[in-house]
Amino acid sequence: MNITEWTTALRYRPYHLWDKEYTKTLEEQVQQSTWRLNFHIQPKSGLLNDPNGFSYFNGQWHLFYQAFPYGPVHGLKSWFHLTSDNLVDWQAEGVKLEPSTKYDSHGVYSGTALPIGEELLLAYTGNVRDRDWNRFSYQMGALMNTQNQITKIEQPLIPAPPEGYTDHFRDPQVIPYQGGYLLIIGAQTVQEEGKVLVYQGDTYTNWQLLGELDYMPAQAGYMVECPNLVFIKDQPVLIFCPQGMAKEDFAYQNIYPNTFVVGEQFDVNNVTLTNPQPIQNLDEGFDLYASQVINAPDGRVLSVGWAGLPELTYPTDEQNWAHCLSLVKELSIKQNRLYQTPITELEVLRQKATPLAGELGALTPLVKENQQNRYELRLTFSPDSHGKLHLFADAENKHPFTLHFDAKNGKITIDRSRVSRPLNEAFGTTRTITIERKQELTFQIFVDQSICEIFVNDGLHVFTSRVFPEIDQTNLLIEGENGHFSGTHWQLRSTFS
């Protein structure tokens, strides 16, 4: 079956009605894609979007993602389950949470997980449509036991949006708080203003609305998706995705940004982040959304995001798959600034190491024997450095993904205007940040076939971007006007057999 038009009926066809041969053919086609990744989570077929249910339970890490396995479109959503012992090598456990009740008949939408005793609570939004296609949203729960068997809780945790809010009411996060629980959720008022609501409960089935979270002076557009409240050394950080936020209130270029606000304290009585810092981009690149963040039991604050954006198309759509997840990152606060760094577990991927050092000058290969877009690169540049790093480059450097750096004047720009497969150009082809001038500059870069994650100055800034090179575009080139550099290039192993 070759689907050329994704009708509503096809998008919402029940999973058991899909032909198994079609599914097998789809997976075989997807496996042949030259853009398949080596150490990032990706779908076997169809669409992946929001990470869900990130947690540590029963001696393993668990991660789910929203999935529509039958094509690169948004359709009838389920949760696909993965497990890991090290946050790097993930075992696919299959689709584990499907639409199956009157409260989630049109999709198991995003949510979170929390270990409670000997079970893992999965909190999610059930999406329902009536005959006239009116939307209804229910905040649902399910319990997973130590054998990874899941049983849905029959009645909704929250049966309806509160009065004054629309059915754009989704993405619950449940966290422990003061001997009970908080539930954080994205919402929209009937005036179409995006809000974050906070509920409190002494059990996970008994919730009382505390009110709207007060976390910044500006209005957060017409909807807030995927709000996550975490505590970094007791300091509250709200990570969220505002849709339609006015650009005079917050400058951003992506269709919707992935943002954060750091407060001094969380005042539960007044539902407020006290003395909040200005809203900031969590990621400065082209393609990160719906980050899910957890306070892990080992004391770390960990995050993972969807490397893609809503309502946009990508070249892999033509090959019947779409999107991946970012690497897992650790979040910390230093001198009141948020840092994101790759987890140390990723070092198990390292294979051949090549030391690097030199003076910036004419265009030259940085690594002469790099034959695959599968590597980690660490570089340190002197405070007077000014140059360009070309990734995914062809031999003539006609179609690179370019990183411009100017340590002397404090400016960094990523540029995908020349890549061989342009994408989503309506939202610009460059992203620029300013950094402290005349300071040593560091990059930690992970390249994996069709994604690039760049960590600047020990994770003070992060750029996540999808790039879709041709098969011969594996060169790594450098040029500059002044300055010197040193570092290491590692070839990385694949996490997939």
Side-chain angles (χ1 to χ4, degrees):
M1 178 169 58
N2 183 24
I3 298 174
T4 56
E5 181 184 357
W6 280 97
T7 62
T8 299
L10 278 173
R11 290 173 186 259
Y12 288 88
R13 172 186 284 178
Y15 282 25
H16 70 273
L17 295 181
W18 285 94
D19 182 72
K20 291 183 179 179
E21 283 302 312
Y22 167 76
T23 305
K24 181 181 177 182
T25 301
L26 203 63
E27 291 178 358
E28 290 173 351
Q29 176 195 8
V30 169
Q31 198 61 39
Q32 294 170 7
S33 170
T34 58
W35 294 316
R36 294 295 282 173
L37 305 160
N38 297 282
F39 52 90
H40 285 77
I41 291 170
Q42 60 198 317
K44 291 174 65 177
S45 64
L47 179 132
L48 165 158
N49 59 304
D50 300 5
N52 295 154
F54 188 23
S55 53
Y56 187 80
F57 170 70
N58 193 33
Q60 280 191 310
W61 297 99
H62 295 261
L63 182 58
F64 301 77
Y65 62 79
Q66 273 201 297
F68 179 67
Y70 305 107
V73 297
H74 292 271
L76 188 62
K77 297 292 181 64
S78 59
W79 280 23
F80 191 98
H81 185 202
L82 305 114
T83 56
S84 177
D85 294 325
N86 63 358
L87 290 168
V88 178
D89 296 279
W90 292 94
Q91 175 68 40
E93 305 290 349
V95 172
K96 285 295 183 71
L97 204 54
E98 289 188 37
S100 63
T101 77
K102 64 181 181 180
Y103 296 115
D104 60 18
S105 58
H106 288 70
V108 173
Y109 278 21
S110 286
T112 56
L114 180 68
I116 298 178
E118 295 299 312
E119 295 177 302
L120 183 68
L121 171 68
L122 308 177
Y124 68 94
T125 297
N127 186 50
V128 175
R129 298 279 190 168
D130 65 13
R131 291 182 179 179
D132 297 322
W133 213 242
N134 297 308
R135 179 201 301 272
F136 300 89
S137 62
Y138 302 91
Q139 307 319 309
M140 305 301 298
L143 295 170
M144 187 173 80
N145 64 20
T146 54
Q147 285 75 48
N148 293 346
Q149 298 167 329
I150 295 175
T151 303
K152 290 183 179 179
I153 299 171
E154 291 186 4
Q155 296 300 314
L157 306 182
I158 301 175
E163 186 177 352
Y165 296 86
T166 74
D167 280 293
H168 289 285
F169 179 63
R170 55 183 176 267
D171 310 336
Q173 180 207 26
V174 178
I175 60 173
Y177 191 77
Q178 294 183 346
Y181 305 98
L182 294 179
L183 186 149
I184 318 297
I185 191 165
Q188 180 190 67
T189 68
V190 293
Q191 291 81 28
E192 297 188 354
E193 296 178 339
K195 300 293 181 180
V196 175
L197 300 186
V198 180
Y199 288 75
Q200 189 169 31
D202 52 359
T203 71
Y204 60 81
T205 58
N206 180 27
W207 297 102
Q208 282 192 321
L209 177 63
L210 297 181
E212 296 176 357
L213 180 62
D214 183 4
Y215 57 95
M216 64 178 184
Q219 175 55 45
Y222 58 78
M223 179 61 191
V224 173
E225 291 196 315
C226 306
N228 281 221
L229 178 65
V230 292
F231 295 86
I232 303 178
K233 294 183 178 178
D234 297 325
Q235 193 164 0
V237 180
L238 182 72
I239 293 172
F240 60 105
C241 297
Q243 294 188 330
M245 190 170 181
K247 293 189 177 180
E248 55 265 30
D249 291 329
F250 175 58
Y252 63 95
Q253 288 180 263
N254 292 350
I255 182 172
Y256 307 122
N258 200 159
T259 65
F260 72 93
V261 169
V262 177
E264 283 187 4
Q265 292 182 324
F266 173 61
D267 180 351
V268 69
N269 295 319
N270 295 299
V271 202
T272 301
L273 294 188
T274 60
N275 297 321
Q277 295 179 14
I279 182 175
Q280 298 178 62
N281 272 316
L282 185 68
D283 193 279
E284 305 286 356
F286 295 97
D287 302 287
L288 192 82
Y289 195 75
S291 291
Q292 186 153 115
V293 190
I294 62 168
N295 283 98
D298 59 10
R300 293 183 294 178
V301 177
L302 302 177
S303 77
V304 61
W306 168 25
L309 287 170
E311 302 170 31
L312 300 184
T313 59
Y314 290 81
T316 55
D317 293 355
E318 304 165 9
Q319 300 174 348
N320 282 316
W321 69 283
H323 312 307
C324 65
L325 297 185
S326 73
L327 297 174
V328 178
K329 299 179 277 285
E330 180 178 358
L331 276 55
S332 59
I333 294 177
K334 304 172 187 176
Q335 298 179 333
N336 227 26
R337 303 186 75 178
L338 184 70
Y339 285 76
Q340 304 172 73
T341 54
I343 53 171
T344 57
E345 286 92 333
L346 289 165
E347 293 177 7
V348 302
L349 296 174
R350 292 175 179 171
Q351 294 186 318
K352 180 182 177 182
T354 302
L356 305 170
E359 299 291 324
L360 290 170
L363 184 69
T364 184
L366 183 63
V367 180
K368 294 181 180 180
E369 296 181 0
N370 187 59
Q371 299 297 321
Q372 290 184 312
N373 287 318
R374 190 176 78 202
Y375 58 85
E376 177 188 351
L377 178 65
R378 282 180 180 257
L379 289 173
T380 299
F381 290 92
S382 59
D384 61 338
S385 296
H386 182 195
K388 301 176 186 177
L389 189 63
H390 302 283
L391 313 172
F392 303 98
D394 53 288
E396 292 79 28
N397 200 33
K398 292 181 179 178
H399 300 291
F401 175 68
T402 300
L403 171 60
H404 302 254
F405 55 90
D406 185 349
K408 182 178 179 181
N409 295 298
K411 185 176 179 181
I412 297 173
T413 298
I414 58 169
D415 182 352
R416 67 178 183 190
S417 63
R418 296 171 59 199
V419 297
S420 57
R421 298 280 183 137
L423 63 157
N424 303 319
E425 293 173 289
F427 298 95
T429 58
T430 62
R431 299 288 186 269
T432 299
I433 62 169
T434 57
I435 57 173
E436 194 170 352
R437 300 170 64 243
K438 298 180 181 179
Q439 298 293 317
E440 189 175 78
L441 174 62
T442 66
F443 294 115
Q444 185 176 9
I445 300 172
F446 289 84
V447 167
D448 186 7
Q449 210 66 26
S450 59
I451 188 172
C452 178
E453 297 183 65
I454 301 170
F455 298 83
V456 181
N457 288 344
D458 300 317
L460 182 57
H461 304 281
V462 184
F463 295 89
T464 301
S465 302
R466 299 301 305 275
V467 183
F468 298 90
E470 302 302 329
I471 196 168
D472 63 337
Q473 293 171 355
T474 59
N475 290 284
L476 178 55
L477 310 174
I478 195 168
E479 61 179 317
E481 297 174 9
N482 50 271
H484 57 269
F485 65 89
S486 61
T488 306
H489 172 282
W490 289 273
Q491 295 178 358
L492 302 181
R493 67 167 173 84
S494 176
T495 61
F496 305 104
S497 57

